[in-house]
Each structure stands twice: as structure tokens, then as C-alpha cells.
Amino acid sequence: MSIRATRARIIATAVVLAAIPALAGAPAAAAHDSGIRLDFLGEKELPNAMPFQGTTVGGLSAISYDARTGTYYVISDDRSQTGPARFYTARVDLSDGTLKGVELTGTHPWLRPDGTAFPPTSTATSTVAPDPEGIAVDPRDGSLAWTSEGERIVPSDGPALLGDPWIRRATATGAYTGQLPLPPQLHMNSQEFGPRRNQTLEGVTFTPDGRRIVTAMEDPLYQDGDDPTPEHGALARITVHDTRTGQPLAQYAYPLEPLFAATPAGSTDTNGVSDLVALGHDRFLVLERASIYADNNWKARIYLVDLRGGTDVLGRDSLTGPSAPPVKPVRKTLVTDLSDVAGLSRVDNVEGITLGPRLPDGRRTVVLVSDDNFAAREVTQFIAFAVHGM
């Protein structure tokens, strides 16, 4: 597809998005009761640039709990710049019904198929490091799935440097065990078709029975329309894979909320999915995170999402536009806006969500983690809730 044709399609898509009431103006999801209530159990911060086992702790972008061992797995989005692309293990103390402490217990590099760690990205050598964003524990055996957002550098005066996003399987110590095939629409392209840079596979989860791996794109593909703005939302894609074969089974349109505030001129701020965790075969908690980065102003909201009744869009090149068939997005209802949580000291770049253990009174816990972007003005923050109604 030519650049001119693709841009024409995107302009048409933007017009269509602006005309969809569910994606424009105030978020409709906020008006409905999900039936789930989260009780705040506390927050803990790790020191900025904390050294740990030869690494600098930061960029924590997703979290997953292994109920078999009580271990939390937390991924760093370091692209082998301050250290090798890696993840951490942790203990989170919720023993008395409050968040008493967080302790890192180990770290492991992600390994390539040849057993070596990943080098940094280099345009000189056409090397693409992973951009690790999602992590999930297989409930059957404790192995891992993790996602990379890939890379898309398209200079005006030279060759493009492209790296596809991926979903990889690994042991609990980071050794490579396989890679899942992607739908063709999710491969990187030097034309404005496919994923945008740094807006691809942001979240991953296993269904509770371990039979499905479900991933979420952070924001829309080029051909699916513009990113969310204060005036309109957008459609991202959720993909369901068979764990045994790795093959994609279905894909759904997820309706992103509009950006929560006006942005400075020239800003690229937007709203997107940062993680998800499965409650069952079709129901998920989905974390949306938005920023006005120049002001260090963040918003994070948790939605209950049900895939049932949504249009299966697997294989569709475009979700919007005058020639695209009608699409029914998945259903979502607001569970909580972190800005409304009494006692929470601040809302930062919250990127990870997982279900934690049950408390003695039977309530399930939810644990969040924030990505400090290796920046002193942001924080590495763990937040815990107890769940009613689930």
C-alpha cells in the first residue's frame, strides 16, 4: 500500500471515529457499575535507581503472580541499556490484609535462542533489542510468556530499522522455549500500516486454565485510526492464542477512552492499554493508562471487560473506515479510577496488573506496579487492593 493511499485511509478513519458516540466525549463506561469493588490495601515505593544484583531497578512494566509458589514476576522495559533486558522476582507481603512490604528476590536476563543475553539496539549494526512490556505466568507449570513491542525507526534519508513485536515463551529463569505466530496485521511495516512505534503488544495473560494466551495492543494500528485524543477514543486489538499450538484463535476490538485532558501543542500524549489479567475464559481486568507527560500528569483506570458478543476481527486489515465492515467492540465497565482512591498518595505511570493471593477472609487481591521510566521525577510503586464481587 502506498503512503498516499494509507494516509487517505487514516484521514477517512479519523472522520469515522469522531462520529462514533461511544468513542467521543465523556467515557460511556464510567456510567455503569461493574459489580466489582476494590478496597485499597496500601502502596509501597522502591528507591529511585535502586541497585539490585548488578542491575538498576526501573521501568517495571508488568507483573504476574504464581499462585503455586507465591512469587511475583515483574518485567523491566530496559532495552539492554542500563543492563540486559530482564525481569525480577519479588515477594509482596499482604499477610495482615494490608500491603506491608515488597522485596525483590532475584533477577534474570531474557535469553535469545542461542542462550545469550540481548545487546542494545544499534542502527549501525541493524540490531534490535526487545522492548519488554508484558509478562505472565503459566498457571499449569510456572513457565513464562512475555511480550516485546519491537521497533520501528523510519528515517527520511535512510533504510528503516524494523523489529516485529513478539510473544515469546520462556522458563522461569528466562531461557527461550518458543515464539507464538502473530496475525499478519501486527507485523512492523516501513509504510503507515501495522503497529505504531512503542504502541504494540503491551499486555499478556493466561486464562486461569492455562489453555489460552491473551494479548492486548496498547493503541490502534495505523489503519485502525488515530490514537485517542481529548475529543475521541480509539480501537485497539485484543488477540486470543491457543497455548498448545501458539496459533491465534480470535481477535477483538477494544474501545479505548479519550485522553483525559488537553495536551500541549505538538504533544504525542495518548491513552492506551498497559496490561490485562484474565478472570476467566472471556472476562478480564484491563488497565488503561494515559499521560500528559510534560506535566507529569497520569491517569490509570481499571475496567471489567467481557469478550462475549464482540466481533471477531481476526484477519481484518482495518477496523474503521468507510469500506470496513461494522465492528462491535467488546463490553467494558469501569471498576475504578485510581485518581478517586482515598489514601493513594499519587497516580504515576501505572503499567502492570495481576491477581494476587486470597486474604484470610476469602477476598482475592489485585496488585499493580508502576514504570518510573528510569526518571527521578517518577516512582516505582506497588499498589494493592482487595476485591469484592469477584
Side-chain angles (χ1 to χ4, degrees):
M1 179 180 293
S2 70
I3 293 176
R4 179 178 297 176
T6 305
R7 285 176 176 165
R9 174 185 281 189
I10 292 169
I11 291 170
T13 297
V15 173
V16 172
L17 280 175
I20 299 176
L23 298 180
H32 301 285
D33 181 9
S34 69
I36 294 177
R37 189 181 86 238
L38 298 182
D39 291 341
F40 180 56
L41 300 181
E43 61 179 310
K44 293 293 180 183
E45 294 182 9
L46 299 184
N48 180 258
M50 184 178 86
F52 180 78
Q53 294 186 1
T55 73
T56 299
V57 177
L60 303 186
S61 295
I63 185 170
S64 187
Y65 176 67
D66 185 350
R68 302 170 320 113
T69 65
T71 298
Y72 291 80
Y73 290 81
V74 192
I75 200 168
S76 171
D77 68 3
D78 185 355
R79 305 192 66 170
S80 295
Q81 293 177 318
T82 72
R86 62 194 176 277
F87 64 95
Y88 296 91
T89 54
R91 296 283 181 180
V92 177
D93 187 353
L94 297 166
S95 58
D96 67 351
T98 62
L99 177 52
K100 295 176 64 177
V102 175
E103 177 190 7
L104 298 185
T105 58
T107 184
H108 299 278
W110 295 114
L111 300 181
R112 296 184 288 182
D114 65 3
T116 61
F118 290 92
T121 293
S122 169
T123 55
T125 60
S126 298
T127 300
V128 177
D131 182 1
E133 291 290 350
I135 192 169
V137 177
D138 189 327
R140 301 169 302 174
D141 62 10
S143 63
L144 303 176
W146 65 289
T147 64
S148 166
E149 289 201 280
E151 184 57 279
R152 184 181 186 275
I153 300 174
V154 185
S156 59
D157 57 352
L161 181 62
L162 302 177
D164 278 341
W166 69 47
I167 311 161
R168 286 194 169 179
R169 300 300 310 272
T171 68
T173 56
Y176 174 89
T177 60
Q179 183 166 324
L180 279 62
L182 291 179
Q185 295 78 16
L186 303 192
H187 290 279
M188 284 295 186
N189 196 314
S190 60
Q191 304 296 309
E192 291 187 344
F193 187 89
R196 292 172 165 88
R197 185 176 192 265
N198 202 35
Q199 295 185 16
T200 73
L201 292 173
E202 188 79 9
V204 62
T205 185
F206 285 88
T207 54
D209 61 9
R211 296 175 61 187
R212 300 287 184 266
I213 296 175
V214 183
T215 61
M217 296 289 285
E218 183 174 7
D219 281 295
L221 305 176
Y222 276 110
Q223 67 270 24
D224 288 341
D226 293 335
D227 283 341
T229 71
E231 290 72 39
H232 65 73
L235 295 176
R237 300 194 188 207
I238 291 176
T239 308
V240 180
H241 291 254
D242 180 88
T243 302
R244 182 180 61 84
T245 66
Q247 293 295 324
L249 300 175
Q251 192 177 76
Y252 300 93
Y254 177 85
L256 291 163
E257 301 300 314
L259 189 57
F260 64 94
T263 59
S267 167
T268 58
D269 293 320
T270 189
N271 177 47
V273 174
S274 61
D275 205 1
L276 77 169
V277 62
L279 305 179
H281 194 77
D282 300 295
R283 298 170 74 243
F284 302 82
L285 293 179
V286 173
L287 177 63
E288 287 187 38
R289 181 264 294 116
S291 71
I292 309 297
Y293 192 74
D295 299 330
N296 201 35
N297 186 9
W298 302 90
K299 181 173 283 291
R301 291 167 283 197
I302 300 171
Y303 292 91
L304 176 64
V305 172
D306 195 326
L307 303 184
R308 291 172 294 184
T311 304
D312 185 352
V313 299
L314 186 65
R316 291 197 187 184
D317 281 345
S318 179
L319 303 183
T320 59
S323 61
V327 171
K328 183 179 180 181
V330 299
R331 290 178 292 162
K332 58 182 279 194
T333 50
L334 183 68
V335 174
T336 192
D337 184 326
L338 265 62
S339 300
D340 299 330
V341 174
L344 183 61
S345 64
R346 63 187 288 177
V347 178
D348 210 87
N349 183 22
V350 181
E351 288 207 2
I353 184 170
T354 191
L355 295 178
R358 291 194 180 275
L359 298 174
D361 61 12
R363 290 178 298 167
R364 194 71 187 264
T365 53
V366 168
V367 180
L368 311 178
V369 70
S370 72
D371 173 1
D372 69 351
N373 287 310
F374 293 93
R377 70 174 187 169
E378 297 172 51
V379 295
T380 297
Q381 178 187 39
F382 289 78
I383 306 167
F385 296 93
V387 186
H388 289 268
M390 187 180 76

